[in-house]
């Protein structure tokens, strides 16, 4: 239970982190894109004013505006590019051939006789602005301003890095705090459960010794009397029942503490059913019930399980059918193989389970003991499940379902 809450809580916190991260990064991106667009608009206005409205071009001022607004300025007259006498960056120099090609395409698309034009041509990888205007000196000045998108992407990444780290650290702190709180909250419950299981195991071991002594002494006493009187027979029967209960308590305790070792191997289901039938037929016949073994299928049926534990599980179902059905009841032992599964079932034609019974531990108000929970846990540990069904058309049917192994 604690591990399940741990995993679900961790995934929930990670999901919250992802949602917050997306929201924060989206807001940062929108703000930076708006800011980048405003810088481009302002840079274009200032550069056009500095070039087109001045009788003397201040190249140092142009260089300062380029660096301040993160843009590249390419200045042309109608015939050739104006050589700017200041050092240009390697990045701007790399963009120079693409800028020349863009200017040429803008010239070709310029309407005849147009003296002033300002447009933003489509250009991959950068925002572009092309301006052409005839100056008072008679020359035609052309300005191309480029604002590379990679600078904006780098700015977005740098701006998102801080919030990402902060959110991640906060998420990790919350996960650690949640796990620590969960551990402390469940520690008393686990301690109580462990104490209970330890008590069951200890009680089973402590009860085993006096029960063994009582059983051995009653057997000796019965032999001395020349036959077991009724009272000695009752003592022997109840002692055997207590012995079985003690073994069940010890087994249940081992299963709950994950201290039970299983010998999983390839098991022939037909041989296992035949062995169970051989063991329980005399017992049921002696108590007035009929045990029937359904004919096995023609092909062999194999499954992966512990043969000793699987035989014990089938024995629990047969014993319950014998203990909680009236005399004359027919108990059927068989298997069904279909859709990659094999079911080993025990079915009786007794009164069956109550229609409102959701748990198979009780039948007609009588508790079935710890045998059925043990069988269910053993099936789960071997990769199987315990199924129950009632009213088909009457009686009860319990089955162990396991994956089928192909021969």
């Amino acid at each position: 239970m604690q591990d399940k809450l741990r995993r679900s809580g961790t995934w929930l916190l990670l999901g919250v982190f992802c949602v917050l991260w997306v929201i924060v990064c989206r807001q940062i991106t929108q703000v930076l894109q708006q800011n980048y667009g405003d810088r481009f608009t302002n840079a274009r206005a200032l550069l056009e004013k500095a070039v087109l409205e001045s009788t003397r071009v201040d190249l140092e001022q142009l260089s300062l505006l380029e660096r301040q607004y993160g843009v590249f300025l390419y200045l042309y007259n109608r015939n050739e590019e104006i050589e700017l006498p200041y050092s240009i960056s390697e990045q701007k120099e790399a963009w120079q051939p693409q800028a020349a090609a863009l200017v040429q395409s803008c010239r070709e698309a310029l309407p005849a006789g147009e003296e002033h034009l300002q447009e933003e041509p489509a250009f991959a990888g950068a925002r572009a602005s092309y301006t052409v205007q005839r100056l008072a000196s008679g020359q035609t000045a052309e300005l191309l301003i480029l604002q590379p998108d990679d600078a904006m992407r780098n700015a977005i990444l740098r701006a998102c890095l801080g919030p990402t780290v902060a959110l991640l650290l906060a998420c990790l702190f919350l996960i650690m705090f949640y796990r620590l709180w969960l551990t402390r909250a469940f520690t008393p419950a686990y301690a109580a459960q462990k104490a209970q299981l330890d008590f069951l195991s200890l009680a089973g071991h402590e009860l085993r010794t006096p029960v063994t002594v009582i059983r051995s002494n009653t057997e000796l006493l019965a032999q001395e009397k020349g036959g077991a009187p009724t009272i000695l027979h009752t003592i022997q029967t109840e002692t055997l029942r207590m012995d079985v209960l003690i073994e069940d308590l010890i087994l249940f305790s081992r299963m709950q503490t994950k201290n039970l070792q299983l010998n999983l191997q390839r098991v022939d289901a037909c041989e296992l059913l035949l062995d169970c039938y051989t063991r329980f037929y005399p017992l049921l016949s002696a108590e007035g019930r009929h045990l029937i073994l359904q004919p096995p299928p023609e092909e062999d049926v194999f499954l992966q399980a512990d043969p000793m534990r699987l035989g014990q599980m089938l024995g629990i179902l047969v014993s319950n059918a014998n203990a909680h059905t009236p005399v004359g009841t027919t108990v059927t032992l068989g298997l069904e193989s279909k859709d990659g599964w094999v079911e080993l079932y025990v079915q009786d034609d007794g009164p069956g389970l109550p229609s409102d019974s959701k748990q198979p531990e009780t039948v007609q108000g009588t508790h079935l003991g710890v045998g059925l929970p043990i069988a269910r846990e053993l099936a789960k540990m071997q990769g199987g499940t315990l199924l129950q069904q009632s009213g088909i058309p009457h009686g009860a049917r319990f089955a162990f379902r396991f994956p089928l192994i192909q021969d």
Side-chain angles (χ1 to χ4, degrees):
M1 181 64 179
Q2 184 180 3
D3 292 337
K4 187 175 181 180
L5 287 175
R6 219 175 244 158
R7 288 192 298 269
S8 59
T10 301
W11 284 113
L12 178 61
L13 289 174
L14 288 176
V16 172
F17 162 75
C18 292
V19 172
L20 290 177
W21 181 77
V22 169
I23 293 175
V24 170
C25 290
R26 186 175 180 181
Q27 292 296 324
I28 291 175
T29 301
Q30 290 178 351
V31 171
L32 288 179
Q33 287 177 341
Q34 180 64 35
N35 179 262
Y36 220 60
D38 294 342
R39 291 179 63 189
F40 180 76
T41 303
N42 295 336
R44 180 173 63 184
L46 291 174
L47 289 171
E48 288 179 354
K49 182 178 181 181
V51 172
L52 301 178
E53 297 182 5
S54 302
T55 56
R56 178 177 175 273
V57 176
D58 190 341
L59 299 179
E60 183 177 354
Q61 181 186 8
L62 297 181
S63 176
L64 178 63
L65 290 175
E66 274 189 321
R67 292 193 299 270
Q68 181 179 353
Y69 289 95
V71 297
F72 300 149
L73 168 66
Y74 299 92
L75 185 60
Y76 298 83
N77 62 21
R78 197 55 163 160
N79 299 319
E80 60 183 4
E81 180 181 1
I82 297 177
E83 296 292 339
L84 302 180
Y86 60 88
S87 61
I88 61 176
S89 64
E90 294 181 0
Q91 188 179 8
K92 180 178 178 180
E93 190 173 3
W95 281 84
Q96 199 162 6
Q98 296 169 278
L102 181 60
V103 168
Q104 184 61 34
S105 64
C106 289
R107 286 174 178 173
E108 294 173 357
L110 185 66
E114 190 73 43
E115 295 186 354
H116 178 77
L117 181 68
Q118 183 184 69
E119 63 177 13
E120 294 188 6
F123 193 66
R127 182 175 297 181
S129 172
Y130 174 75
T131 304
V132 57
Q133 181 171 331
R134 186 177 298 276
L135 303 179
S137 60
Q139 291 183 328
T140 302
E142 297 171 285
L143 286 80
L144 179 65
I145 303 173
L146 297 181
Q147 186 185 46
D149 294 338
D150 56 352
M152 180 179 63
R153 287 193 292 268
N154 294 334
I156 291 175
L157 291 176
R158 287 193 301 269
C160 292
L161 182 61
T164 301
V165 173
L167 285 174
L168 183 59
L169 291 177
C171 183
L172 292 176
F173 173 76
L174 287 176
I175 290 175
M176 293 176 60
F177 177 79
Y178 172 75
R179 287 174 171 261
L180 180 62
W181 171 81
L182 204 60
T183 301
R184 290 186 176 181
F186 273 81
T187 296
Y190 277 112
Q193 183 185 25
K194 186 177 183 303
Q196 182 183 11
L197 295 175
D198 291 342
F199 171 77
L200 288 175
S201 179
L202 181 61
H205 286 289
E206 292 295 330
L207 287 171
R208 179 183 288 171
T209 302
V211 167
T212 303
V213 173
I214 293 172
R215 186 174 62 185
S216 61
N217 280 275
T218 52
E219 290 174 355
L220 290 174
L221 185 59
Q223 292 174 3
E224 292 177 1
K225 295 293 182 179
T230 304
I231 186 170
L232 291 178
H233 178 71
T234 304
I235 292 175
Q236 284 181 320
T237 303
E238 293 303 319
T239 304
L240 288 174
R241 192 169 297 173
M242 287 179 62
D243 194 18
V244 173
L245 177 59
I246 290 170
E247 293 299 328
D248 288 344
L249 287 174
I250 295 174
L251 179 60
F252 188 72
S253 174
R254 288 177 180 174
M255 288 192 302
Q256 294 299 314
T257 55
K258 310 299 182 184
N259 207 14
L260 181 66
Q261 299 296 327
L262 295 176
N263 181 25
L264 298 179
Q265 55 184 275
R266 184 186 177 94
V267 178
D268 189 334
C270 299
E271 290 184 3
L272 192 69
L273 286 177
L274 181 59
D275 178 69
C276 182
Y277 175 80
T278 304
R279 285 190 295 122
F280 283 93
Y281 180 80
L283 175 64
L284 270 68
S285 297
E287 298 192 8
R289 294 171 183 83
H290 310 287
L291 181 61
I292 298 176
L293 178 63
Q294 286 289 349
E298 295 181 358
E299 68 277 2
D300 294 331
V301 178
F302 295 96
L303 54 92
Q304 186 83 6
D306 186 327
M308 185 186 72
R309 296 301 180 188
L310 188 53
Q312 179 184 5
M313 292 154 54
L314 286 172
I316 290 173
L317 298 185
V318 176
S319 298
N320 283 343
N322 180 49
H324 299 284
T325 56
V327 176
T329 299
T330 299
V331 180
T332 305
L333 190 63
L335 67 85
E336 290 182 356
S337 175
K338 57 182 179 180
D339 300 331
W341 297 91
V342 56
E343 290 186 5
L344 308 177
Y345 66 85
V346 174
Q347 182 176 334
D348 63 72
D349 57 359
L353 299 174
S355 59
D356 59 346
S357 176
K358 296 182 179 180
Q359 295 295 332
E361 282 79 2
T362 58
V363 175
Q364 295 181 339
T366 304
H367 203 279
L368 297 183
V370 296
L372 214 54
I374 287 176
R376 184 188 300 107
E377 289 298 323
L378 284 174
K380 188 184 301 182
M381 293 174 66
Q382 297 174 83
T385 54
L386 173 62
L387 307 175
Q388 66 151 0
Q389 194 173 2
S390 181
I392 45 172
H394 50 79
R397 183 181 188 272
F398 292 91
F400 296 109
R401 174 181 286 182
F402 288 91
L404 181 65
I405 297 180
Q406 299 298 330
D407 188 11

